[in-house]
mmCIF file of all heavy atoms in Angstrom:
data_model
loop_
_atom_site.group_PDB
_atom_site.id
_atom_site.type_symbol
_atom_site.label_atom_id
_atom_site.label_comp_id
_atom_site.label_asym_id
_atom_site.label_seq_id
_atom_site.Cartn_x
_atom_site.Cartn_y
_atom_site.Cartn_z
ATOM 1 N N VAL A 1410 -118.523 62.940 132.645
ATOM 2 C CA VAL A 1410 -117.699 62.727 131.393
ATOM 3 C C VAL A 1410 -118.151 63.665 130.338
ATOM 4 O O VAL A 1410 -117.196 64.133 129.632
ATOM 5 C CB VAL A 1410 -118.016 61.166 130.900
ATOM 6 C CG1 VAL A 1410 -117.599 61.063 129.458
ATOM 7 C CG2 VAL A 1410 -117.372 60.280 131.815
ATOM 8 N N PRO A 1411 -119.428 63.973 129.920
ATOM 9 C CA PRO A 1411 -119.665 64.931 128.853
ATOM 10 C C PRO A 1411 -119.193 66.306 129.028
ATOM 11 O O PRO A 1411 -119.192 67.060 128.165
ATOM 12 C CB PRO A 1411 -121.195 64.844 128.871
ATOM 13 C CG PRO A 1411 -121.600 63.753 129.516
ATOM 14 C CD PRO A 1411 -120.600 63.446 130.577
ATOM 15 N N LEU A 1412 -118.814 66.625 130.296
ATOM 16 C CA LEU A 1412 -118.328 67.970 130.492
ATOM 17 C C LEU A 1412 -116.868 68.299 130.328
ATOM 18 O O LEU A 1412 -116.396 69.386 130.332
ATOM 19 C CB LEU A 1412 -118.592 68.403 131.946
ATOM 20 C CG LEU A 1412 -120.081 68.293 132.465
ATOM 21 C CD1 LEU A 1412 -120.251 68.754 133.957
ATOM 22 C CD2 LEU A 1412 -120.974 69.252 131.625
ATOM 23 N N GLN A 1413 -116.184 67.224 129.910
ATOM 24 C CA GLN A 1413 -114.703 67.237 129.658
ATOM 25 C C GLN A 1413 -114.419 67.618 128.160
ATOM 26 O O GLN A 1413 -115.045 66.944 127.251
ATOM 27 C CB GLN A 1413 -114.037 65.933 130.041
ATOM 28 C CG GLN A 1413 -114.386 65.456 131.489
ATOM 29 C CD GLN A 1413 -114.223 66.544 132.413
ATOM 30 O OE1 GLN A 1413 -113.090 67.249 132.550
ATOM 31 N NE2 GLN A 1413 -115.250 66.740 133.101
ATOM 32 N N THR A 1414 -113.769 68.606 127.832
ATOM 33 C CA THR A 1414 -113.494 69.060 126.486
ATOM 34 C C THR A 1414 -112.169 68.715 126.042
ATOM 35 O O THR A 1414 -111.963 68.364 124.933
ATOM 36 C CB THR A 1414 -113.862 70.532 126.329
ATOM 37 O OG1 THR A 1414 -112.903 71.257 127.360
ATOM 38 C CG2 THR A 1414 -115.276 70.869 126.596
ATOM 39 N N GLY A 1415 -111.189 68.770 126.842
ATOM 40 C CA GLY A 1415 -109.808 68.349 126.525
ATOM 41 C C GLY A 1415 -109.616 66.847 126.233
ATOM 42 O O GLY A 1415 -110.300 66.134 127.070
ATOM 43 N N ALA A 1416 -108.850 66.396 125.485
ATOM 44 C CA ALA A 1416 -108.671 64.974 125.120
ATOM 45 C C ALA A 1416 -108.201 64.163 126.370
ATOM 46 O O ALA A 1416 -108.661 63.046 126.647
ATOM 47 C CB ALA A 1416 -107.735 64.766 123.938
ATOM 48 N N ARG A 1419 -110.930 64.003 128.890
ATOM 49 C CA ARG A 1419 -111.938 63.020 128.419
ATOM 50 C C ARG A 1419 -111.576 61.415 128.591
ATOM 51 O O ARG A 1419 -112.284 60.679 129.042
ATOM 52 C CB ARG A 1419 -112.366 63.113 126.903
ATOM 53 C CG ARG A 1419 -113.121 64.484 126.614
ATOM 54 C CD ARG A 1419 -113.862 64.491 125.280
ATOM 55 N NE ARG A 1419 -113.059 64.091 124.136
ATOM 56 C CZ ARG A 1419 -112.211 64.858 123.440
ATOM 57 N NH1 ARG A 1419 -112.046 66.034 123.913
ATOM 58 N NH2 ARG A 1419 -111.529 64.435 122.539
ATOM 59 N N ASP A 1448 -111.398 55.518 120.843
ATOM 60 C CA ASP A 1448 -111.759 56.568 119.808
ATOM 61 C C ASP A 1448 -111.027 57.822 120.063
ATOM 62 O O ASP A 1448 -110.631 58.399 119.259
ATOM 63 C CB ASP A 1448 -113.300 56.618 119.735
ATOM 64 C CG ASP A 1448 -113.846 55.420 119.093
ATOM 65 O OD1 ASP A 1448 -113.123 54.536 118.415
ATOM 66 O OD2 ASP A 1448 -115.140 55.200 119.188
ATOM 67 N N THR A 1449 -111.046 58.270 121.330
ATOM 68 C CA THR A 1449 -110.456 59.568 121.749
ATOM 69 C C THR A 1449 -108.988 59.444 121.434
ATOM 70 O O THR A 1449 -108.283 60.500 121.124
ATOM 71 C CB THR A 1449 -110.923 59.871 123.107
ATOM 72 O OG1 THR A 1449 -112.333 59.912 123.205
ATOM 73 C CG2 THR A 1449 -110.226 61.199 123.476
ATOM 74 N N GLU A 1452 -108.571 59.897 117.875
ATOM 75 C CA GLU A 1452 -108.918 61.206 117.260
ATOM 76 C C GLU A 1452 -109.082 62.215 118.549
ATOM 77 O O GLU A 1452 -110.233 62.525 118.797
ATOM 78 C CB GLU A 1452 -110.186 61.097 116.393
ATOM 79 C CG GLU A 1452 -110.006 60.284 115.308
ATOM 80 C CD GLU A 1452 -111.256 60.389 114.361
ATOM 81 O OE1 GLU A 1452 -111.758 61.443 114.161
ATOM 82 O OE2 GLU A 1452 -111.799 59.296 114.041
ATOM 83 N N PRO A 1453 -108.119 62.654 119.144
ATOM 84 C CA PRO A 1453 -107.993 63.610 120.270
ATOM 85 C C PRO A 1453 -108.923 64.831 120.167
ATOM 86 O O PRO A 1453 -109.485 65.262 121.035
ATOM 87 C CB PRO A 1453 -106.640 63.909 120.536
ATOM 88 C CG PRO A 1453 -105.759 62.830 119.821
ATOM 89 C CD PRO A 1453 -106.568 62.510 118.615
ATOM 90 N N ASP A 1454 -109.090 65.259 118.778
ATOM 91 C CA ASP A 1454 -109.823 66.505 118.576
ATOM 92 C C ASP A 1454 -111.262 66.323 118.513
ATOM 93 O O ASP A 1454 -112.011 67.265 118.559
ATOM 94 C CB ASP A 1454 -109.310 67.143 117.348
ATOM 95 C CG ASP A 1454 -107.761 67.653 117.466
ATOM 96 O OD1 ASP A 1454 -107.596 68.311 118.422
ATOM 97 O OD2 ASP A 1454 -107.031 67.488 116.436
ATOM 98 N N ALA A 1455 -111.673 65.039 118.359
ATOM 99 C CA ALA A 1455 -113.081 64.824 118.133
ATOM 100 C C ALA A 1455 -113.800 65.079 119.552
ATOM 101 O O ALA A 1455 -113.348 64.675 120.536
ATOM 102 C CB ALA A 1455 -113.383 63.288 117.760
ATOM 103 N N GLY A 1456 -114.836 66.024 119.461
ATOM 104 C CA GLY A 1456 -115.552 66.352 120.756
ATOM 105 C C GLY A 1456 -115.063 67.237 121.563
ATOM 106 O O GLY A 1456 -115.625 67.739 122.566
ATOM 107 N N SER A 1457 -113.869 67.822 121.224
ATOM 108 C CA SER A 1457 -113.297 68.901 122.022
ATOM 109 C C SER A 1457 -113.828 70.234 121.760
ATOM 110 O O SER A 1457 -114.360 70.550 120.741
ATOM 111 C CB SER A 1457 -111.787 69.027 121.948
ATOM 112 O OG SER A 1457 -111.477 69.346 120.494
ATOM 113 N N GLY A 1458 -114.009 71.033 122.788
ATOM 114 C CA GLY A 1458 -114.759 72.373 122.650
ATOM 115 C C GLY A 1458 -113.841 73.324 121.887
ATOM 116 O O GLY A 1458 -114.340 74.082 120.969
ATOM 117 N N SER A 1459 -112.543 73.469 122.283
ATOM 118 C CA SER A 1459 -111.695 74.364 121.558
ATOM 119 C C SER A 1459 -110.337 73.731 121.598
ATOM 120 O O SER A 1459 -109.954 73.011 122.488
ATOM 121 C CB SER A 1459 -111.787 75.684 122.219
ATOM 122 O OG SER A 1459 -111.333 75.553 123.524
ATOM 123 N N GLY A 1460 -109.474 74.044 120.754
ATOM 124 C CA GLY A 1460 -108.133 73.511 120.636
ATOM 125 C C GLY A 1460 -107.275 73.938 121.827
ATOM 126 O O GLY A 1460 -107.393 75.060 122.270
ATOM 127 N N ASP A 1468 -105.520 69.459 119.663
ATOM 128 C CA ASP A 1468 -105.297 69.030 121.152
ATOM 129 C C ASP A 1468 -104.234 68.039 121.086
ATOM 130 O O ASP A 1468 -104.294 66.878 120.610
ATOM 131 C CB ASP A 1468 -106.727 68.349 121.474
ATOM 132 C CG ASP A 1468 -106.556 68.022 123.091
ATOM 133 O OD1 ASP A 1468 -105.409 67.914 123.635
ATOM 134 O OD2 ASP A 1468 -107.611 68.042 123.698
#
Side-chain angles (χ1 to χ4, degrees):
V1410 168
L1412 301 180
Q1413 308 314 302
T1414 55
R1419 290 201 308 278
D1448 289 343
T1449 303
E1452 298 185 50
D1454 291 317
S1457 62
S1459 60
D1468 189 335

